[in-house]
Amino acid sequence: MDRNGIWMERHWGTRAIALTLLCLGAVCLNQAKAVAELQFEEVWMATTGGGARLATDGQGTCMLVWYDSDPINGDLDIFQSVSTDSGETWSPAVPLNTDAATDTGHDYRVDVAYAGQGVWIAAWESKNPPGGGTYDYDIFYSRSVDNGATWDTPLPLNAEAYNDGPKAQDWLVRLATDGAGVLLASWMRYGTGSNLGPRLSRSADYGATWTEFPTSFSLSMPCCAIAYGRSSDGLGKWIATDSARDDLGNWYFGMSSSADGLDWSPVEWLLTGDDYIDPTWLDERLSLTADELGNWLLAYRWGTNKVFSSTDSGETWVGPQTLEAANPELRSRWYGGVSVATDGQGRWVAVGNAMEAFGGMLGDDSDLLYFLSEDNGASWSAPTPINQDAWGDEIDDMTGDGIPPQIVSCSGSWIVTWSGPAGVHVARTPQTPKPGITVQPVVGHTTEDGATALFQVALFAEPAADVTVTPLLSDASEGLVTPAMLTFTTANWSTPQELTVTGVDDSVVDDDQTYYLTLSAASTDPDHDLLERTVVIFNKDNDTPTQASVSSITYSLSRDRKDLFVYVTVVNEAGAPVAKASVTADLYKNGVKLTSFSGATLSNGIVTFKLTNAKSGTYTTTVTSVVADGLTWDGITPGNSFTK
């Protein structure tokens, strides 16, 4: 339908390409095979507007937002449309910002996220001055507690919106959520004035209030792309990333992680292997996504579409892998960013815009293509068009605002949105859930005091026969599980059934112990027989530690490679982080004492020291004292060294 709510009659499925022999001029390309495995149809269209962004609650409700011109005042405003049936039908387009009828400043590039419990957050660039302030771009946000039926009055998100001056532009906001009330907003500040560069803000109350991180912290953080993922146990982590270049011209991705979005780990660097990455727009070209099984993908586009992948919750990464490497003869001239989503069952889809796709076979306009992986990103299909009119439409399916297409997975459907000169588009695949066991943690962990973990178990798809699911724990000394079996039928396959795991006590200071709950399915239905799903659980220790030690001292450089950061990690005898420990240390350069530092560890057990404008040389650190409540420091400084 268009902005007036008129339904479109046009539907299209992705045309399957089967190219066993392709001749371009005098060149014949063998083994060029790209068979479409997803069938998209366009289900919604707004004839004007751009910058479309999409979010889902994972239970069938999807929120689409974009900017469009206001026919009354002539400015840009934010619009929305909502689907409650996994993207099959959509509500009429209406303004999201409540001041749309009266404001005159532009409301521009927008993002949206689901915070949990029916709460949605939208954030965007706005030139409407808060309280009569200056007419620069600031970040505004609005909150809906009723699935988009109504929205709160827009409020500024950046703390300096009232006094940052007319030439300090806050742009390109992106939202990340854990779906349980904690959200992070990142954006960039350009222009002239103070505190330029990346900015980061956090909410722990479903977006009701926000706290912006200090400037010094934001500038040291890789905060262009942020995402949240779980390790199938309900205990997840945040990962943030962006790009940086060293003195030799090598490009890296900086990675930092956090359990709560508040205290972050030292930055680690991944060499991209690229000769050049444009950091100005890289935040729009990065896509960081995770499932609930510890799998992460970092996708980006510079020349070609590439991915880094992790199967251990971001602890280690493999890559970069070029998506179209398996089919170089189908390579296209890519434009803009790439977006990646997962259905949580091993399938991942990446989408991007390509000009002169397949060497010009689709014309010299831009079209929308996708790649499919069914092995958690280890291998990818050949690129395949999403828009049916890719074959000769000669209409660009992209806009010049830097907003890439976006794809999400919702209740068995893939939903993709993109913007072009013809407006905002939404296409989806029919709901085709893959057989599997779904596990939703209600309370994800046990304690040695006997507290229980509770899991809701169901099937992804309807079986052809009864399915029995047997739970098995990897370590009976940590927990006990009941009941001994769950049975799903064709009538109750989608209705969650509960499993309870009770913690078992010991008398050892062993910190929180990890163990595993494996669910094994048996059925005469071959699609459901032998299915397995493993959930990670930890049993919280109730024994009191007595000793503190420094487990590691590591170093990193700032984004501009000028400042040196020193990270001291304090743990107890079980290896658990010690928070609020007072640490004093001496920093040496080339064996000569340079300065002394002191500070307190955060919840991750890390205290960070900063040396501004560090000169070339070899640095070492010696810890001189650690004072922690109830713990005695062992007095040992681990070996460490860093050469700049």
Side-chain angles (χ1 to χ4, degrees), residues 396-432:
D396 284 329
D397 289 283
M398 67 178 179
T399 56
D401 55 15
I403 307 299
Q406 187 184 10
I407 188 166
V408 299
S409 175
C410 182
S411 301
S413 290
W414 298 98
I415 306 171
V416 62
T417 184
W418 70 98
S419 308
V424 175
H425 304 259
V426 176
R428 73 186 287 268
T429 62
Q431 288 180 279
T432 54

Side-chain angles (χ1 to χ4, degrees), residues 388-474:
Q388 176 69 35
D389 52 8
W391 304 88
D393 64 337
E394 297 298 330
I395 298 175
D396 284 329
D397 289 283
M398 67 178 179
T399 56
D401 55 15
I403 307 299
Q406 187 184 10
I407 188 166
V408 299
S409 175
C410 182
S411 301
S413 290
W414 298 98
I415 306 171
V416 62
T417 184
W418 70 98
S419 308
V424 175
H425 304 259
V426 176
R428 73 186 287 268
T429 62
Q431 288 180 279
T432 54
K434 183 179 178 181
I437 303 170
T438 174
V439 182
Q440 182 66 39
V442 178
V443 179
H445 305 291
T446 59
T447 73
E448 290 187 353
D449 293 324
T452 60
L454 182 64
F455 300 92
Q456 293 183 337
V457 182
L459 301 181
F460 276 110
E462 181 178 352
D466 288 357
V467 179
T468 58
V469 175
T470 302
L472 179 64
L473 291 175
S474 62

Side-chain angles (χ1 to χ4, degrees), residues 53 65 78 96 108-113 120-126 138-143 151 155 157 172-175 184-187 210:
R53 296 289 293 175
V65 297
I78 305 302
L96 183 152
Y108 194 34
R109 291 172 291 204
V110 61
D111 199 15
V112 64
W120 299 77
I121 304 294
W124 63 92
E125 306 164 26
S126 179
D138 292 300
I139 305 301
F140 276 55
Y141 76 96
S142 185
R143 184 171 180 261
W151 291 84
L155 295 172
L157 187 63
L172 301 172
V173 62
R174 280 293 170 260
L175 297 172
L184 292 175
S186 62
W187 67 94
W210 293 80

Side-chain angles (χ1 to χ4, degrees), residues 106-166:
H106 288 320
D107 295 287
Y108 194 34
R109 291 172 291 204
V110 61
D111 199 15
V112 64
Y114 179 69
Q117 297 187 358
V119 179
W120 299 77
I121 304 294
W124 63 92
E125 306 164 26
S126 179
K127 244 186 175 180
N128 291 293
T134 54
Y135 283 85
D136 63 315
Y137 272 112
D138 292 300
I139 305 301
F140 276 55
Y141 76 96
S142 185
R143 184 171 180 261
S144 173
V145 299
D146 51 15
N147 282 319
T150 59
W151 291 84
D152 294 342
T153 301
L155 295 172
L157 187 63
N158 53 312
E160 297 175 320
Y162 291 90
N163 55 16
D164 59 354

Side-chain angles (χ1 to χ4, degrees), residues 212-452:
E212 189 170 337
F213 284 73
T215 301
S216 58
F217 176 83
S218 296
L219 291 176
S220 67
M221 271 288 295
C223 57
C224 281
I226 302 176
Y228 182 85
R230 294 184 175 89
S231 300
S232 77
D233 59 357
L235 181 69
K237 71 158 54 173
W238 298 84
I239 293 181
T241 183
D242 68 3
S243 67
R245 185 170 60 176
D246 65 14
D247 296 336
L248 300 177
N250 299 310
W251 281 95
Y252 297 81
F253 285 124
M255 310 285 287
S256 182
S257 63
S258 172
D260 55 8
L262 187 62
D263 298 333
W264 292 81
S265 70
V267 178
E268 297 182 1
W269 302 97
L270 296 174
L271 181 64
T272 69
D274 293 288
D275 295 329
Y276 177 70
I277 297 178
D278 183 359
T280 304
W281 295 103
L282 189 59
D283 49 352
E284 291 301 335
R285 292 172 176 166
L286 279 175
S287 180
L288 183 64
T289 310
D291 61 12
E292 295 187 353
L293 299 173
N295 299 298
W296 286 73
L297 282 185
L298 169 62
Y300 67 103
R301 204 275 325 150
W302 197 257
T304 57
N305 297 288
K306 301 180 180 181
V307 294
F308 281 94
S309 60
S310 172
T311 58
D312 55 7
S313 297
E315 294 297 320
T316 60
W317 294 81
V318 176
Q321 175 187 2
T322 300
L323 295 186
E324 54 265 57
N327 300 87
E329 65 277 359
L330 299 183
R331 187 161 294 170
S332 309
R333 186 158 63 91
W334 295 92
Y335 180 90
V338 59
S339 173
V340 178
T342 178
D343 63 359
Q345 297 179 267
R347 290 184 293 188
W348 300 70
V349 176
V351 297
N353 285 114
M355 301 184 68
E356 301 175 359
F358 305 157
M361 289 175 56
L362 303 186
D364 58 6
D365 61 317
S366 69
D367 292 297
L368 205 65
L369 306 181
Y370 79 85
F371 302 85
L372 172 64
S373 172
E374 296 194 290
D375 51 13
N376 284 317
S379 60
W380 295 84
S381 70
T384 306
I386 288 178
N387 53 316
Q388 176 69 35
D389 52 8
W391 304 88
D393 64 337
E394 297 298 330
I395 298 175
D396 284 329
D397 289 283
M398 67 178 179
T399 56
D401 55 15
I403 307 299
Q406 187 184 10
I407 188 166
V408 299
S409 175
C410 182
S411 301
S413 290
W414 298 98
I415 306 171
V416 62
T417 184
W418 70 98
S419 308
V424 175
H425 304 259
V426 176
R428 73 186 287 268
T429 62
Q431 288 180 279
T432 54
K434 183 179 178 181
I437 303 170
T438 174
V439 182
Q440 182 66 39
V442 178
V443 179
H445 305 291
T446 59
T447 73
E448 290 187 353
D449 293 324
T452 60

